[in-house]
Amino acid sequence: MGEKPTWDGSGSRGVPGRTRRSHDDAAPGADPVTVEQLVARQGGPTTGRRRAARRVEERRVEEPVPVRPEDVPVVRAGLPPVPGGLAAPPPAQQAGLPPVPGAARVTPQLGLPPVPVLERGATVWEPDVRPSRRSGPIPPLPGLFPPPEDAAPPRKSRPRGPGRPPASPGRRRLGRLLTALALAVGVVVLYHLGLYFYVDQKIGRVEALATDGAEVLAPALQAGAETYLVVGTGVPGQDGGSSVTTLLASVSADGDRAVLVSFPPTALVDTPECRSLDGSLRNPTTEAFAESLLEGSPSCMVRAVQQLSGLRIDHYLGVDLARLPGMVDALGGVAVCITPSEATSAAALPLPPGPAELSGETAAGFLQPGDTGADVTGAAVAERAQRLLTSTLRAAMSTGTLTDPLTLARFLNRAADALTVDAQTTLADLRVLAGSLGDLSGDAVQRAVLPVAQVGYLPVGTDQAYVLLDGAGTRSLFDAVVAGAQVPKEFLTGSAPAVGEPASEAAPEAEPAPAPEPVPAGGEGLTIAPAQVTVNVLNGTGTTGLAATVAAALQQQGFGVGTVGNEPGTVNQSVVRHGPNAGEHARTVAAAVPGAVLQPSDAIGDTVQLVIGPGYTTVVPVTIGAPAEAAPAETPAPAAPAPAPVTCT
């Protein structure tokens, strides 16, 4: 390879080896040099390659030029070298110490970058070589700067007086006593709070309320009132629908009045669409009132009550009456005040009037009905259950129980197993119910029963007897409750002090009812033999098949039996109705049924009707005897002593 041609600036390439001046001095008429001429001048291609190879070989054999330290320019950190500067030998450096000025120079090595040289006396700032430490702020010198304007003046120290004398031993004991008392009170409060929340979570809860149901009438009038539906199940000695007792308690907004209405368990009612316990939808149906709970759910019973009354049920309380005696035993007994009434006398274990202390066993006997079929409407057992439950809750909230942790815990554990409430009701709501019904007495509490149109109604195709309610009377009763007015007197069953409440004043004695026509015992004074009497037997109770049972018993005693059926109305006891000319026949029938009374009637002609009512026991044999001698007219019968008024202190 030869040298590259040079550019002459005129658009032609010159020949290597010639300068621009010689090129310019060439004759203007000279011919241009061709490639072949150029190759010939260089000696051909072979000659050019040999010449290039010799040049490379000459370069290989050249000796390396040693580099002197003086010729290496001084390299500054991060800056280009200074022209003309020479590298000074770096000082000797010890491990972990700064370089020493004037140390021996270091000979540079080939192939390595130059080492910066420090001149004697020069200072180089290298953070990596000697780390620095940041100093803190320097406080101002005192007296050089004025104090800030907002600085407070120095507080003058007050002269220290004589020291407080040490506390006396009595004061120290008092302090320790107060501290221990505060700790004890705190422990008791925490215990009661924990127990309250434990029972509140343990108590059974169901979805039972339907406050926005379409059957609720005049919601604005019921905004302030609180309505409780108290349902007792498991009445001692009863099963089926008879084991369910229901009481509706409506407390006014100001809490000074309450209305208690009992529902017959066999009353025929219309239950609207509701949810059963398994969550399925239950179709509307007509059934016995107790079946809405037994066959449906608490929600179905609530809807049935709202459908019948138009009231909005705010709280549902279910009580297992079989466990109520256990709650009484947990409290060590419950104080009650028994006032004479039809409800208390209808118990299996009637209690004497006045104050009494009920145990669990006596409470069970007080709840159990004394006569099967005697309480057709269920008002008596509902009243006894309400009175006993109210007294039990009031005893549980007494100071003596609240200050006894063991008794309170035992009662609440049993109450949690016996009570069932809706999802929104708390223990505080139950306390309000017990306090309201317990504090109200006299005319402030009105007890009513649903008016009955027929007892022992047998629908076509069934043998179960129902109670038919008086629709117009029922509507009139609940309209008064919704409006907050007084309940009509014809629906009231009488008012009495609540169980456990003292009666400050004796209730006025009721006017004596007209004495029924006397009925001879056995066969004294009877003139008509049983074989000469034909009687129609009607069932006035809720016991199915009772009329047929009594008719068979009368036939065994020689009576003739006509019609056997159900009484369309209501009776309080067994009644023997008779026409104007059948008085002696009726006396013979009444003598065979203890407790029956005679009732003349012009609507049945000369027939005799026996209506089996509450209090029926059995049929006794009858014999015809001589008329009893009448007592002398001048000797008046001694008057029965008036019962002493019942007072509870």
Side-chain angles (χ1 to χ4, degrees), residues 67-131:
V67 180
R68 296 178 302 173
E70 293 81 358
D71 298 337
V72 178
V74 178
V75 179
R76 296 180 298 175
L79 297 178
V82 179
L86 297 178
Q93 184 175 357
Q94 301 177 8
L97 296 178
V100 180
R105 299 177 181 272
V106 179
T107 303
Q109 302 179 7
L110 296 179
L112 297 177
V115 179
V117 179
L118 295 179
E119 298 293 340
R120 181 179 300 273
T123 302
V124 179
W125 179 255
E126 293 181 0
D128 295 335
V129 176
R130 184 175 183 180

Side-chain angles (χ1 to χ4, degrees), residues 348-367:
L349 181 60
L351 300 177
E357 185 78 14
L358 291 185
S359 63
E361 184 178 357
T362 54
F366 182 71
L367 288 174

Side-chain angles (χ1 to χ4, degrees), residues 208-539:
L209 301 184
T211 55
D212 56 349
E215 63 273 6
V216 177
L217 302 178
L221 296 178
Q222 307 180 47
E226 292 289 331
T227 304
Y228 297 80
L229 184 63
V230 183
V231 181
T233 57
V235 176
Q238 302 294 315
D239 55 359
S242 301
S243 65
V244 178
T245 176
T246 308
L247 184 72
L248 179 70
S250 179
V251 183
S252 61
D254 50 10
D256 59 351
R257 291 184 301 104
V259 179
L260 307 180
V261 183
S262 59
F263 288 75
T266 58
L268 203 60
V269 297
D270 295 328
T271 304
E273 187 179 61
C274 59
R275 292 283 180 183
S276 58
L277 288 177
D278 58 359
S280 60
L281 198 61
R282 192 168 183 259
N283 295 326
T285 183
T286 300
E287 59 188 351
F289 179 71
E291 292 180 357
S292 63
L293 176 67
L294 300 178
E295 301 294 335
S297 63
S299 175
C300 296
M301 176 168 278
V302 168
R303 297 296 299 272
V305 173
Q306 292 186 162
Q307 178 76 16
L308 181 64
S309 64
L311 292 171
R312 183 195 66 239
I313 305 300
D314 301 306
H315 305 282
Y316 174 86
L317 172 61
V319 183
D320 187 357
L321 297 179
R323 297 177 181 268
L324 187 56
M327 298 168 57
V328 174
D329 282 336
L331 296 173
V334 174
V336 297
C337 182
I338 304 299
T339 55
S341 65
E342 295 182 1
T344 56
S345 61
L349 181 60
L351 300 177
E357 185 78 14
L358 291 185
S359 63
E361 184 178 357
T362 54
F366 182 71
L367 288 174
Q368 183 176 351
D371 189 6
T372 304
D375 188 12
V376 179
T377 61
V381 65
E383 180 179 342
R384 295 195 302 272
Q386 178 267 320
R387 290 181 181 274
L388 182 58
L389 178 62
T390 302
S391 298
T392 303
L393 294 179
R394 285 176 58 85
M397 293 183 299
S398 63
T399 305
T401 304
L402 295 178
T403 55
D404 188 352
L406 297 180
T407 301
L408 182 61
R410 183 168 57 249
F411 169 78
L412 291 178
N413 282 326
R414 296 187 182 183
D417 296 333
L419 301 181
T420 302
V421 298
D422 59 89
Q424 287 75 31
T425 298
T426 62
L427 293 180
D429 297 324
L430 301 184
R431 182 176 182 179
V432 172
L433 172 64
S436 300
L437 299 184
D439 295 337
L440 299 178
S441 61
D443 295 336
V445 178
Q446 294 180 302
R447 299 181 182 274
V449 295
L450 297 181
V452 177
Q454 182 179 351
V455 177
Y457 170 72
L458 291 175
V460 178
T462 180
D463 57 351
Q464 182 178 0
Y466 295 92
V467 173
L468 292 183
L469 300 177
D470 184 358
T474 301
R475 187 71 269 150
S476 176
L477 167 64
F478 285 117
D479 285 345
V481 177
V482 170
Q486 293 290 330
V487 176
K489 293 183 178 180
E490 59 267 22
F491 304 126
L492 298 179
T493 60
S495 59
V499 178
E501 281 294 309
S504 57
E505 298 181 0
E509 297 182 7
E511 297 181 359
E517 186 177 345
V519 178
E524 296 180 359
L526 300 180
T527 59
I528 303 297
Q532 300 175 4
V533 179
T534 301
V535 59
N536 298 328
V537 182
L538 302 179
N539 186 2

Side-chain angles (χ1 to χ4, degrees), residues 136-159:
I138 301 175
L141 297 177
L144 298 182
F145 297 95
E149 298 180 358
D150 55 349
R155 180 181 301 178
K156 296 182 179 180
S157 60
R158 300 177 60 182

